[in-house]
Amino acid sequence: QVQLVESGGGLVQAGGSLRLSCAASGRARSSNAMGWFRQAPGKEREFVSTISWSGASTYFVDSVKGRFAISRDNAKNTLYLQMNSLKREDTAVYYCTAGYYPSSDPKEYDYWGQGTQVTVSS
């Protein structure tokens, strides 16, 4: 089993930056790729970014390309999401996830964190 715990959320002004962290513990055969999803009030869960185990492959939703960066430190069992030039539209609960392949489909992931709130003010 894998446990994922997000941290780093909070309140930030538009145009500012924030870095989210996801600490992973335990091990599972399918926990290779990791990623981030988000869910805003009244909206469906949305794919944000994902990264392969080695970090060689990364993917982003169009709305965050050029502003967000995903990375991981396998020695520390930690995933990161660096968010720059934040917009009010980025306000959401952000969830860390782990699965076998990088994917934009939440059904492809096996483990999920509890989520961390990110609020961007104007």
Side-chain angles (χ1 to χ4, degrees), residues 21-45:
S21 298
C22 174
S25 61
R27 181 183 295 181
R29 299 181 188 278
S30 60
S31 60
N32 298 312
M34 298 187 73
W36 296 93
F37 286 75
R38 65 187 181 186
Q39 188 166 22
K43 299 181 67 177
E44 295 183 351
R45 183 176 295 181

Side-chain angles (χ1 to χ4, degrees), residues 12-93:
V12 63
Q13 285 189 299
S17 298
L18 205 62
R19 188 180 76 160
L20 304 183
S21 298
C22 174
S25 61
R27 181 183 295 181
R29 299 181 188 278
S30 60
S31 60
N32 298 312
M34 298 187 73
W36 296 93
F37 286 75
R38 65 187 181 186
Q39 188 166 22
K43 299 181 67 177
E44 295 183 351
R45 183 176 295 181
E46 176 190 30
F47 166 75
V48 177
S49 182
T50 187
I51 185 171
S52 62
W53 185 87
S54 68
S57 299
T58 60
Y59 304 91
F60 298 89
V61 66
D62 287 344
S63 61
V64 309
K65 288 181 179 177
R67 299 190 297 118
F68 289 11
I70 189 169
S71 61
R72 64 191 298 169
D73 186 336
N74 290 338
K76 297 182 178 180
N77 296 316
T78 303
L79 174 73
Y80 304 97
L81 183 68
Q82 179 66 48
M83 305 184 293
N84 300 321
S85 301
L86 284 162
K87 305 175 180 179
R88 292 183 67 183
E89 305 92 88
D90 296 317
T91 295
V93 176

